[in-house]
Amino acid sequence: CIVVMLLLMVVEKGKEIAVLKSLGATDGGIMRIFVFEGLLIGIFGAISGAVLAFMFCKWLEVFGLRFRPVANFLREIYYTDRLPVHVAPSDFLLVSLAAIVISFLATLYPAYAASRVHPVEGLRYEG
């Protein structure tokens, strides 16, 4: 979703990118803007997702999730009537870091596409 959103932004902001480039912005500067925006979205999403998931898993660890009466045979197999939950903070950290790395990689193509906008092409049909 980050790739699609940033590509749409490149298309919508073509005129603004062209103006920035005609004022002297470099390709690297334009790329940094889009990479920063994508990373900001990815970091916010990873942190908020990890916090919500951690709270939900802690809730499950404390209160548990009971098997439905349909699953009575599970009690005979596992000798418990609740779903066992173990919360390891290192798992949440590892998944969050992976999400941030993936969001960084997802920003590279849209940032490259934005840096390739030519000032003349971006301003051609403005009238």
Side-chain angles (χ1 to χ4, degrees):
C1 289
I2 292 174
V3 173
V4 172
M5 186 193 65
L6 288 176
L7 282 174
L8 274 169
M9 188 170 297
V10 168
V11 171
E12 290 175 357
K13 302 291 183 184
K15 177 184 171 194
E16 288 82 0
I17 294 170
V19 169
L20 284 173
K21 290 191 88 171
S22 66
L23 290 174
T26 63
D27 290 346
I30 300 294
M31 278 188 75
R32 279 190 294 276
I33 290 170
F34 279 88
V35 168
F36 177 75
E37 183 178 359
L39 269 177
L40 194 66
I41 293 167
I43 289 170
F44 177 74
I47 289 173
S48 61
V51 167
L52 287 173
F54 186 78
M55 289 175 14
F56 181 69
C57 287
K58 274 300 195 183
W59 181 83
L60 276 178
E61 189 176 52
V62 171
F63 296 106
L65 183 65
R66 294 199 177 274
F67 293 135
R68 294 176 45 197
V70 174
N72 282 333
F73 69 93
L74 290 176
R75 279 190 230 150
E76 296 170 7
I77 297 171
Y78 296 112
Y79 302 110
T80 184
D81 63 341
R82 291 175 26 152
L83 180 70
V85 177
H86 173 71
V87 178
S90 61
D91 294 341
F92 289 92
L93 181 64
L94 185 64
V95 169
S96 297
L97 288 175
I100 291 170
V101 168
I102 290 169
S103 67
F104 169 73
L105 293 175
T107 62
L108 294 179
Y109 178 71
Y112 178 76
S115 71
R116 295 288 138 208
V117 171
H118 296 287
V120 175
E121 294 297 323
L123 298 172
R124 174 173 287 173
Y125 300 108
E126 295 300 317

